[in-house]
Amino acid sequence: MANKRAKQKSKYTLDRGIPGAFEGETVTRRRFMTGAAHSAGAVAAAAFTLPALGFAVGPIFKQERHSWEDIGPLEAFSENNYIPVVVTINPGVGEVGKTTAYVRKRNPAIDTDRYDSTTPYIAISTRCAHVGCPVRWIDAAERFVCPCHGGVYDLLGRRVSGPPVRPLDRFPTRVRAGRVQLYTGRFSVNSELRRFSPRDPGEPLDGIGQYLYPSRPSARIP
Amino acid sequence: MARRPAPPLPSALKAPPPRPGEGNGPLSPVEQAKEAGITVVDWVDERTSLSGAARWLMFRKVPKGTNWYYTLGSATLFAFLSQAVTGVFLAMFYRPDAAGGAYESIRHITDDVFLGQFVRGMHLWGASVMVVLVFLHMGRTFLFGAYKYPRELNWVIGVVLLILTMVMALTGYLLPFDQRAYWATIVANNITATGPLVGPYLGDFLRSGPEFTATTLSRFYAIHMLLVPGAIAALIGAHLYLVTKLGTTAPPWSKVDRRPELSETEV
Ligand code: HEM
Ligand code: FES
């Protein structure tokens, strides 16, 4: 009995008394062939699954390209009111790639946030910070108003009422040769107007929000 | 099979009985056609043994008290088949082109193509019908307690089918590419992205990038017409296999038969 158990423990197939075993062999040929066939199947399946999967999820990791767009002469914009401009943020898809931005000259009296003092013009994205409907600037009320669920924002794009979770996103601007230029990649701001890399609507940026909704490789702060 | 008696024809119209030694005579065309059909079925069956499977699938015992609510699953199945067929034909005219072609191809189907408006309407209304039927069928299986042992796995498959049906509804909604389709998808995509931690990446995956582009439309189209229908068809197969294997549940109000000759003490 003890002898038999010792025999079965041996790593050599010959010692284990397996028919057709070879000297010094530790894995039977049958077991080896089964393993080889399974591995070959796994390699073949991976050969088409992995590239296809990578192809499908690739865009998550690819950074979107953006550019500076001319939006008009310096005099076109005032300090106290918004002028709508239409910019193409996704080239090549016609109307779908365009969006409206509301632009106004930076006014030191109201734009007192510490974070964004380098932007000469304030360009507010019309994408509502609730779930992304297009907001409109209502001059008489001095508010941005969203048609979908009643989100309302003030002159600086900060939420006044309704379901939005953070202020409206903004576009970077600069002045070149007497013209105002707008960078077509947005950035997001929290309720103190501190800059964050672009987030999708509905993702709060105050407190724990910035960690629950991490920035993505596809959209970085410009 | 028992035959009905022949109608009482006047003797002048009756075929004369075969004379002795004539056998049954040559086969009439109808009989020949029947014979040919039987030959074909036999030929296939001899090589596949499919008739057993067909009998297993179709001639099942159903519990006493089975009622109209048990047809809701088959109704859902037919709604799916209708979507599949009308969808294939819509795909012959549809173009997933975000720069205006998608909208134009839908307009073309609706305004110009023969029966286009009808087939598109069937697919459009059929989508709502299927969603409603899935929920009714789920309600039926829930209220009848059909999700209990040993049918839990069928319930789980059902839940996946429900989710996939909703994915179909979501991805199909974008395809007409009008204002409603576009904004509804923007909103749906942003809602997806509000899931904590993984949400932002899921949103990017659906959109295929941080913004809505032409790729978003083709991606939705591929998911809508290839990926999910295939998965639904396969899962319906598994669902029906389990239904056949396990049988359906008796209605909760049906009493166990207390026939003395069947009770254990008698055996
Ligand atoms: C594409 C969607 C679906 C199709 C085509 C489908 C089809 C069917 C069919 C034909 C039956 C046979 C009995 C009957 O009709 O009641 C059945 C049974 C069943 N289904 Fe579904 N089904 C679907 C979705 C679901 C969903 C969403 C659930 C629940 C989450 C579900 C759970 C069940 C269960 C538990 C049974 C067994 C019923 C019994 O044993 O009495 N199914 N299904
Ligand atoms: S999308 Fe603006 S309030 Fe909901």
Side-chain angles (χ1 to χ4, degrees):
Chain A
M1 181 82 183
N3 188 23
K4 197 178 166 200
R5 183 169 292 166
K7 233 183 190 171
Q8 281 198 333
K9 263 191 186 162
S10 165
K11 63 177 181 154
Y12 294 107
T13 51
L14 201 61
D15 294 350
R16 280 185 267 152
I18 291 169
F22 277 105
E23 175 86 55
E25 178 189 74
T26 52
V27 178
T28 63
R29 277 152 287 158
R30 172 178 303 226
R31 177 177 270 243
F32 176 79
M33 285 313 290
T34 310
H38 286 178
S39 315
V43 168
F48 59 79
T49 312
L50 293 183
L53 215 63
F55 178 77
V57 301
I60 298 179
F61 303 101
K62 184 170 165 286
Q63 191 172 352
E64 189 95 327
R65 296 220 172 281
H66 291 287
S67 58
W68 290 96
E69 254 194 51
D70 187 293
I71 54 170
L74 299 184
E75 320 82 69
F77 306 100
S78 78
E79 278 191 355
N80 301 316
N81 205 350
Y82 281 107
I83 304 290
V85 298
V86 175
V87 287
T88 301
I89 53 172
N90 295 304
V93 285
E95 294 296 314
V96 177
K98 294 182 188 167
T99 190
T100 308
Y102 283 102
V103 185
R104 135 181 98 71
K105 191 168 170 19
R106 185 174 188 84
N107 181 347
I110 47 175
D111 295 307
T112 51
D113 58 284
R114 302 177 281 131
Y115 302 104
D116 204 15
S117 52
T118 53
T119 318
Y121 286 78
I122 307 293
I124 303 275
S125 156
T126 51
R127 188 176 68 174
C128 182
H130 177 220
V131 283
C133 287
V135 300
R136 194 156 63 96
W137 171 249
I138 308 285
D139 211 9
E142 297 209 330
R143 294 280 186 267
F144 291 97
V145 177
C146 180
C148 287
H149 321 100
V152 179
Y153 306 83
D154 68 7
L155 185 71
L156 297 178
R158 291 176 305 196
R159 189 192 80 102
V160 175
S161 73
V165 293
R166 60 164 201 258
L168 290 168
D169 291 347
R170 297 177 172 206
F171 292 99
T173 54
R174 71 181 184 191
V175 173
R176 285 288 181 280
R179 311 275 302 175
V180 184
Q181 292 188 336
L182 177 149
Y183 188 73
T184 55
R186 299 181 180 88
F187 63 92
S188 298
V189 292
N190 70 1
S191 58
E192 294 163 12
L193 301 184
R194 195 178 133 203
R195 280 164 165 249
F196 283 87
S197 59
R199 303 297 207 276
D200 276 330
E203 303 176 358
L205 280 174
D206 292 316
I208 189 181
Q210 55 178 305
Y211 307 110
L212 283 183
Y213 301 101
S215 83
R216 303 158 290 158
S218 62
R220 291 290 187 206
I221 196 157
Chain B
M1 215 166 75
R3 284 226 176 170
R4 297 226 213 120
L9 288 173
S11 58
L13 291 178
K14 279 186 196 156
R19 298 167 76 108
E22 256 186 0
N24 288 327
L27 292 178
S28 74
V30 179
E31 282 170 329
Q32 273 179 346
K34 271 188 197 161
E35 203 65 36
I38 292 170
T39 314
V40 170
V41 170
D42 278 349
W43 191 91
V44 173
D45 192 39
E46 202 176 323
R47 284 153 183 82
T48 57
S49 301
L50 268 181
S51 68
R55 233 174 292 129
W56 177 76
L57 187 69
M58 291 190 292
F59 303 104
R60 308 193 301 270
K61 296 209 165 76
V62 294
K64 209 173 185 174
T66 296
N67 52 49
W68 280 101
Y69 298 110
Y70 287 71
T71 60
L72 286 167
S74 317
T76 317
L77 173 65
F78 276 90
F80 173 72
L81 292 179
S82 161
Q83 293 304 94
V85 171
T86 50
V88 164
F89 288 98
L90 286 175
M92 292 180 180
F93 290 94
Y94 180 73
R95 260 184 303 142
D97 166 18
Y103 180 83
E104 169 54 28
S105 69
I106 291 280
R107 191 209 56 75
H108 175 65
I109 289 172
T110 316
D111 294 351
D112 310 333
V113 178
F114 176 63
L115 285 183
Q117 193 179 22
F118 183 67
V119 173
R120 181 182 168 209
M122 284 184 50
H123 199 76
L124 198 154
W125 292 103
S128 303
V129 169
M130 180 168 167
V131 171
V132 169
L133 284 173
V134 163
F135 274 107
L136 290 178
H137 168 62
M138 180 163 106
R140 195 294 278 174
T141 51
F142 177 73
L143 292 175
F144 282 39
Y147 54 85
K148 294 177 193 169
Y149 177 85
R151 300 188 179 80
E152 300 97 322
L153 186 58
N154 224 12
W155 176 266
V156 171
I157 294 175
V159 170
V160 179
L161 279 171
L162 174 69
I163 293 169
L164 290 179
T165 306
M166 304 311 271
V167 171
M168 288 300 277
L170 178 91
T171 50
Y173 207 80
L174 173 66
L175 303 184
F177 219 59
D178 49 16
Q179 288 286 334
R180 187 179 56 173
Y182 176 79
W183 288 108
T185 303
I186 291 278
V187 166
N189 211 317
N190 288 332
I191 291 173
T192 309
T194 57
L197 300 177
V198 290
Y201 305 102
L202 274 181
D204 271 11
F205 170 75
L206 262 189
R207 245 181 334 232
S208 150
E211 297 283 352
F212 190 105
T213 60
T215 328
T216 315
L217 180 59
S218 4
R219 183 162 283 224
F220 271 53
Y221 186 44
I223 293 175
H224 184 77
M225 60 137 16
L226 295 169
L227 190 63
V228 176
I232 289 185
L235 284 173
I236 288 180
H239 202 66
L240 291 186
Y241 168 75
L242 284 183
V243 167
T244 314
K245 172 99 184 146
L246 303 172
T248 45
T249 333
W253 55 79
S254 73
K255 302 270 182 298
V256 179
D257 248 342
R258 289 240 175 274
R259 278 190 288 164
E261 71 269 25
L262 290 179
S263 74
E264 231 174 311
T265 47
E266 300 278 316
V267 175

